[in-house]
Amino acid sequence: MDNSGIYVGLDIGTTSIKVIVAEYVKGQMNVIGVGREPSDGVNRGVIVDIDKASIAIKRAVESAERKANIQIHDVVAGIPANLLRIEPVRGMIAISDSSREIGNQDVVEVSNAASVHNLPPEQEVVDVLPDEFIVDGFDGIKDPRGMVGVRLEMNGGLITGPKTIIHNLKSAIRQAGLGLVDVVVSPLALGRTILNDGEQDFGTITLDLGAGQSTAAVIHDHHLKYTFVEQEGGQFVTKDISVVLNTSLDNAEQIKQQYGYAVADQASSDAFPVNVVGQNEPVAVTEKYLSEIIEARMEQILTNIKNN
Ligand SMILES: Nc1ncnc2c1ncn2[C@@H]1O[C@H](COP(=O)(O)OP(=O)(O)OP(=O)(O)O)[C@@H](O)[C@H]1O
Ligand SMILES: [Mg+2]
């Protein structure tokens, strides 16, 4: 199968929207442009205002278009792990003509058969991830295409998610004037990108520390086995700083990035000026004090993830 061409990935985050444009040639993905713009209409990773989100998506896509010097029509979007469910499924189809080789269509059909499931009305299928195929009882087959047989089975994982979240994602992308060619589960895409083959095989936990949420995902045997979303992230660290130091959110964000450490022991006792609400003169705050505020929230987030 020839997959060459341009691929555009879209990641809609709570604080920023990222777009990556890549060209796939001769088996290699080359990034040719990226765009990143502030997000809008997104709360804790979920689109809550379709109009605002679509405008923000458009801005990020336009920025990537300028960098890559191409026109973007279609995107592959990441879907956050919020409320996604993964459950094992099994599908089976009969191949009517046993002399014919199993092809793409049969794989699609067996995967559809596996996803026919008693779903609650508010859930819908996001993806079916095959673990193995079984042709006439021979199991452990990764790709059955080109084989012959009378019975094709598939074992895999069914990923389902709340209809509302998926609907809002699709609507915002459509309203931004884009076509949605595929939806991928974000932690799975992340795992495939940052983990090497051994790490994906042996078993690894990835952590995506976002702004509005922090996601842990267990990847084992090259499959996404489990995800846990802690509904807190960097935005909460910024809010804590703003409340404790009595400074604006913008200031808090800036000093967090410039002077903050996640581990207070690493911070120095050097002081920096902070503009405090209701005072004319800036107040001196040490890096250590700032980092203690950050550490408290980070410890809470990471402990919660660990306990789950
Ligand atoms: N240098 C830095 N030091 C500390 N925090 C940072 C730094 N750079 C970014 N952040 C924080 O990371 C968060 C943004 O991360 P990211 O872009 O992954 O989130 P997002 O995708 O918009 O949100 P989410 O995935 O939760 O929907 C913000 O809270 C920001 O303050
Ligand atoms: Mg994110």
Side-chain angles (χ1 to χ4, degrees):
M1 207 158 70
D2 183 18
N3 292 326
S4 56
I6 299 280
Y7 290 84
V8 181
L10 174 67
D11 176 19
I12 303 170
T14 308
T15 53
S16 69
I17 298 187
K18 298 104 179 154
V19 179
I20 184 162
V21 187
E23 191 174 23
Y24 190 68
V25 266
K26 297 191 184 122
Q28 221 188 328
M29 246 338 162
N30 301 311
V31 175
I32 58 170
V34 291
R36 181 196 173 103
E37 291 291 322
S39 186
D40 203 3
V42 182
N43 189 17
R44 299 186 175 193
V46 169
I47 295 175
V48 290
D49 185 323
I50 295 172
D51 292 341
K52 284 183 177 166
S54 72
I55 294 168
I57 293 170
K58 221 172 170 167
R59 260 201 310 263
V61 166
E62 280 164 4
S63 149
E65 281 180 330
R66 283 193 297 275
K67 302 268 173 52
N69 205 12
I70 58 154
Q71 276 239 302
I72 295 172
H73 305 286
D74 296 316
V75 296
V76 175
I79 182 159
N82 297 50
L83 315 171
L84 286 187
R85 285 202 270 179
I86 313 170
E87 48 191 309
V89 282
R90 195 183 176 93
M92 206 262 291
I93 59 163
I95 311 277
S96 48
D97 176 1
S98 63
S99 62
R100 177 176 66 78
E101 289 184 353
I102 294 168
N104 277 335
Q105 191 52 32
D106 301 307
V107 172
V108 171
E109 276 171 27
V110 75
S111 144
N112 286 344
S115 55
V116 176
H117 215 69
N118 278 333
L119 284 184
E122 73 282 0
Q123 293 279 117
E124 77 175 64
V125 173
V126 176
D127 211 353
V128 188
L129 308 169
D131 281 331
E132 62 159 358
F133 294 91
I134 305 164
V135 179
D136 290 352
F138 293 101
D139 59 8
I141 297 167
K142 290 286 168 214
D143 185 352
R145 288 173 299 179
M147 299 181 178
V148 290
V150 294
R151 196 174 75 235
L152 175 65
E153 292 164 85
M154 188 198 92
N155 285 327
L158 181 71
I159 299 189
T160 60
K163 275 187 180 153
T164 341
I165 292 188
I166 299 161
H167 170 85
N168 289 2
L169 177 79
K170 289 180 176 168
S171 300
I173 291 172
R174 199 177 330 114
Q175 208 167 304
L178 299 160
L180 180 62
V181 286
D182 205 0
V183 175
V184 295
V185 180
S186 296
L188 187 62
L190 182 72
R192 298 242 165 97
T193 318
I194 64 172
L195 301 180
N196 64 32
D197 201 57
E199 289 164 338
Q200 292 185 52
D201 194 25
F202 180 71
T204 310
I205 299 175
T206 61
L207 279 183
D208 174 3
L209 300 173
Q213 56 187 352
S214 304
T215 308
V218 178
I219 309 232
H220 182 230
D221 250 352
H222 289 265
H223 294 291
L224 181 63
K225 297 283 166 157
Y226 178 72
T227 62
F228 172 73
V229 181
E230 163 76 359
Q231 293 289 3
E232 287 189 8
Q235 237 179 10
F236 290 72
V237 174
T238 305
K239 268 187 203 146
D240 290 346
I241 296 171
S242 156
V243 171
V244 176
L245 298 183
N246 203 12
T247 190
S248 70
L249 281 173
D250 284 349
N251 273 340
E253 178 70 35
Q254 190 246 324
I255 58 173
K256 172 178 88 171
Q257 296 204 20
Q258 194 170 349
Y259 303 106
Y261 290 81
V263 179
D265 272 351
Q266 290 179 352
S268 74
S269 45
D270 294 350
F272 56 91
V274 179
N275 292 320
V276 170
V277 176
Q279 292 202 28
N280 294 332
E281 294 296 313
V283 171
V285 172
T286 62
E287 289 186 1
K288 188 146 210 114
Y289 185 51
L290 170 70
S291 302
E292 278 167 9
I293 304 170
I294 299 173
E295 185 180 289
R297 178 64 71 168
M298 289 313 296
E299 194 176 326
Q300 183 205 315
I301 292 175
L302 294 171
T303 307
N304 249 344
I305 289 177
K306 189 174 162 209
N307 293 340
N308 277 277

